[in-house]
Amino acid sequence: MRMKCSQILMECLLEQGVDTVFGYPGGTILNIYDEMELHGYKNKIRHILTAHEQGASHAADGYARSTGKVGVCFATSGPGATNLTTGIATAYYDSSPVVFITCNVVESLIGKDSFQEVDITGISMPITKCNYLVKDPDQLADVVREAFAIARSGRPGPVLIDIAKNVTASEADYEPLPVSEHGRHGRLGAMLRRSSHDLKTPEPDYGDIEKLLSMIEEAKRPLILVGGGVIRSKGAVPEFRRFFERLGAPVASTIMGGGACPGNHPLFTGMIGMHGSHASNIASSQCDLLIAIGCRFSDRVATDPATFASQAKIVHIDIDRAEIDKNVQTDHHIIGDARRVLELLNEKLPAHDYPEWKEFVFSHKEVPFVQDGILHPHEILETISDVTDGQAIIATDVGQHQMWSAQYYHFSRPGQLVTSGGFGTMGFGLGAAMGAKVGNPDQTVVLCTGDGCFRMNCHELATVEHYHIPVIIVIFDNGTLGMVRQWQHLIYGERYSQTDLDRGPDFVKLAEAYGLRGARAKTQAEFEAALRTAVNSGEAWVIDCAIDKDAMVHPMVPGGAPATEFLLD
């Protein structure tokens, strides 16, 4: 049937099961927004109008991470599109499946420095799995279908579709095509085959599986390191838990692996790396076999690649061959989806136990630092856990509060921690929390943020209020850029250049200005009372928690140093 391409786009979104879009309109994308009104698509797909395109990008990302679905974001050309780039990069570094749809000027004006024209496909090329500039109306449906396939397949990630405005006003033939039929559709099938490097997950080599099983048999001090790849792989977490419990070895985690191993599990050593636990970092230096699953060995994990796990044979399991030996040289690797690799290992792995090794590792577990008379970060996280029975989805921004959240909230399932681990995006949290709540309306969503981060996108409180999105915002308010101050204190001779936040706003009054509820807390009792009220109200709240300006994240390993050279114990 013939229909306008703006309508074809909406039909293709429905084919993909899209129920929510986050976005912000503008001149070049108006045909698509008009289509939502003309044919009732607004009743089939919920549109969340954010205060800024960056907020929309983070919301679509938070939706994707917490639901496992593909997030969708709309924006117009020029500054609308470029305002997405931070969100696109955030999704790219953490392998989050989001389809970003922008519209550009009409084809005849492309390349002429037209009003609000920008080459967003060129800009976004390094931070997307794939991107498209659609100039041919007949290709739009297949491009949209391929984009979703690429975003969700293999190692997930963001895809951008830029559509010339004249295409959205043109007509083309459209026939409904269920997702299950996409691979057999003529032109689309050919497109998907050309994209096979993005879509096909390699079957693990059985010889590689056998070799790892032999290495396990020889090991006396194995350590498992779990990363975000286990979280992103559908169905991998149950297989992972079966694997590490059968192996009986200690389990460390990157921040993106949070929730793969329950935080209160007796085999869990905590986070590894720059702000990793003593148990995790010391175990990495003393193990004789390190099995890393779905992690990138970034500089925040392998702080000194040359000495990382120097006594161990390192085995890297990853879906992306490009990650193998990129940062840390390995002794063995297995290419494949985490779930499938773990399935094959579990079929043949006998039960093991390493009592002396575990006794050594867990003798290094920390006790939280406590200072009487003030509200300490670990008390905030432990209170959130108690009040929500440890079931809340925790979104974070980036900095000290992010590290404290990873250390003190015991995540128990995939998608429970929504954080920017790879790109480290300040301002990510509020949009991501909104997206997580929209995607999980029956779950409590708490944003843990710092006063510096929250300022960056606090205008999204307007979105929270208008759409009645009941996220609870907990501000770790120390009046400074806390993580930067910590570095200045420890490394830069206490020269606190441009990190004091000795200015407004009053966060409680800001919440009230947006029509939301706010509270202050200076003690654990005050915070618990405010949090219980917020949770029971079913409304959005802002809770401003006063913490010590010099509270620090313990431990800390300086960048470039071996994992056991703790600058701060």
Side-chain angles (χ1 to χ4, degrees):
M1 67 186 81
R2 297 287 290 182
M3 62 174 64
K4 281 179 61 176
C5 285
S6 54
Q7 186 174 3
I8 289 175
L9 173 65
M10 300 309 296
E11 289 293 332
C12 286
L13 294 182
L14 290 175
E15 282 181 7
Q16 299 293 332
V18 173
D19 56 20
T20 305
V21 170
F22 302 89
Y24 204 98
T28 62
I29 200 171
L30 278 181
N31 288 330
I32 292 172
Y33 275 89
D34 191 49
E35 196 64 52
M36 297 177 75
E37 299 291 329
L38 278 175
H39 292 95
Y41 290 106
K42 66 179 182 179
N43 299 319
K44 300 175 183 178
I45 298 176
R46 184 184 187 189
H47 184 280
I48 304 291
L49 173 64
T50 56
H52 189 281
E53 289 93 352
Q54 187 180 133
S57 70
H58 295 325
D61 189 354
Y63 176 95
R65 295 182 195 225
S66 63
T67 63
K69 302 176 183 178
V70 177
V72 180
C73 181
F74 283 176
T76 193
S77 63
T82 57
N83 281 343
L84 297 179
T85 53
T86 296
I88 296 171
T90 303
Y92 182 76
Y93 275 83
D94 290 340
S95 302
S96 182
V98 184
V99 172
F100 295 89
I101 299 173
T102 59
C103 289
N104 217 319
V105 298
V106 298
E107 184 179 356
S108 62
L109 294 179
I110 290 177
K112 298 182 177 180
D113 296 333
S114 307
F115 178 69
Q116 292 192 334
E117 179 204 354
V118 75
D119 179 11
I120 192 60
T121 54
I123 291 170
S124 66
M125 187 176 296
I127 52 172
T128 54
K129 284 187 73 177
C130 186
N131 63 25
Y132 306 84
L133 173 58
V134 181
K135 298 179 181 179
D136 181 352
D138 291 329
Q139 291 186 356
L140 178 61
D142 288 346
V143 164
V144 174
R145 291 160 177 160
E146 182 182 7
F148 274 83
I150 290 174
R152 68 165 65 95
S153 300
R155 180 178 180 174
V159 176
L160 181 134
I161 307 171
D162 193 32
I163 310 169
K165 183 176 181 179
N166 57 291
V167 170
T168 64
S170 301
E171 288 191 350
D173 289 326
Y174 168 77
E175 293 296 333
L177 191 67
V179 174
S180 61
E181 296 295 316
H182 286 182
R184 290 187 283 274
H185 177 66
R187 183 168 58 196
L188 176 61
M191 292 173 74
L192 293 177
R193 285 190 290 275
R194 287 198 301 272
S195 302
S196 61
H197 63 286
D198 291 306
L199 296 175
K200 290 183 179 179
T201 302
E203 177 70 3
D205 184 281
Y206 288 83
D208 290 340
I209 298 291
E210 292 294 337
K211 182 176 178 179
L212 175 52
L213 290 168
S214 297
M215 295 172 77
I216 290 172
E217 285 299 320
E218 296 172 0
K220 305 297 182 185
R221 304 184 307 278
L223 175 68
I224 302 167
L225 175 58
V226 60
V230 173
I231 299 294
R232 295 284 177 265
S233 172
K234 286 182 171 58
V237 169
E239 292 294 336
F240 175 69
R241 293 181 181 178
R242 183 181 167 201
F243 172 72
F244 75 73
E245 287 178 347
R246 194 154 184 81
L247 183 57
V251 180
S253 174
T254 69
I255 191 169
M256 298 310 300
C261 176
N264 57 3
H265 195 284
L267 289 173
F268 188 57
T269 62
M271 193 166 59
I272 197 170
M274 178 172 286
H275 293 292
S277 69
H278 286 81
S280 293
N281 284 15
I282 290 172
S284 72
S285 71
Q286 297 296 316
C287 65
D288 62 1
L289 176 65
L290 178 71
I291 305 171
I293 310 173
C295 73
R296 298 181 296 115
F297 291 119
S298 77
D299 59 304
R300 287 302 192 262
V301 171
T303 51
D304 177 20
T307 62
F308 181 73
S310 59
Q311 298 189 39
K313 293 181 179 178
I314 300 175
V315 179
H316 192 179
I317 298 170
D318 207 279
I319 197 170
D320 187 352
R321 185 178 291 275
E323 293 296 342
I324 305 300
D325 295 331
K326 183 174 80 175
N327 296 321
V328 170
Q329 292 298 306
T330 62
D331 297 278
H332 181 50
H333 63 262
I334 302 175
I335 305 298
D337 178 73
R339 179 193 58 79
R340 181 59 178 150
V341 173
L342 290 164
E343 279 180 347
L344 295 173
L345 288 170
N346 288 335
E347 288 176 1
K348 296 187 176 182
L349 181 68
H352 291 74
D353 194 18
Y354 308 91
E356 293 182 2
W357 168 233
K358 288 186 289 188
E359 182 180 0
F360 168 78
V361 170
F362 289 105
S363 69
H364 294 90
K365 294 211 78 170
E366 297 94 347
V367 176
F369 175 78
V370 177
Q371 187 173 349
D372 292 338
I374 61 174
L375 182 58
H376 193 273
H378 80 84
E379 293 179 318
I380 297 174
L381 273 306
E382 289 166 0
T383 300
I384 295 172
S385 182
D386 290 343
V387 171
T388 64
D389 294 324
Q391 296 303 306
I393 294 174
I394 303 295
T396 83
D397 274 296
V398 172
Q400 288 179 314
H401 66 274
Q402 179 191 33
M403 297 296 102
W404 288 322
S405 298
Q407 289 174 335
Y408 297 127
Y409 195 94
H410 297 313
F411 300 100
S412 60
R413 65 181 187 276
Q416 193 178 7
L417 172 61
V418 180
T419 192
S420 174
F423 203 48
T425 306
M426 293 178 69
F428 169 77
L430 183 52
M434 293 190 309
K437 184 62 181 178
V438 169
N440 302 270
D442 297 329
Q443 296 187 36
T444 301
V445 176
V446 178
L447 167 62
C448 293
T449 185
D451 47 327
C453 288
F454 186 58
R455 282 178 170 85
M456 290 196 169
N457 277 324
C458 61
H459 46 255
E460 293 301 343
L461 290 176
T463 312
V464 168
E465 188 280 330
H466 180 77
Y467 292 100
H468 306 290
I469 305 172
V471 295
I472 299 170
I473 299 155
V474 177
I475 303 172
F476 290 65
D477 190 350
N478 54 8
T480 187
L481 297 175
M483 186 61 84
V484 184
R485 181 182 175 87
Q486 179 167 329
W487 281 55
Q488 289 174 332
H489 177 83
L490 295 169
I491 302 172
Y492 290 89
E494 299 184 7
R495 293 181 294 278
Y496 301 118
S497 176
Q498 304 302 316
T499 45
D500 281 345
L501 300 178
D502 49 355
R503 62 208 70 182
D506 180 318
F507 292 117
V508 173
K509 290 183 178 178
L510 181 67
E512 293 170 351
Y514 281 104
L516 302 174
R517 305 285 297 278
R520 302 184 203 282
K522 293 184 178 180
T523 67
Q524 190 275 335
E526 290 176 352
F527 174 65
E528 181 175 352
L531 182 64
R532 289 191 183 278
T533 300
V535 170
N536 293 333
S537 72
E539 300 175 354
W541 276 70
V542 174
I543 306 176
D544 186 9
C545 297
I547 65 171
D548 183 12
K549 191 170 190 173
D550 288 311
M552 295 194 189
V553 180
H554 300 75
M556 178 179 173
V557 176
T564 55
E565 287 190 10
F566 296 103
L567 180 64
L568 184 64
D569 261 335

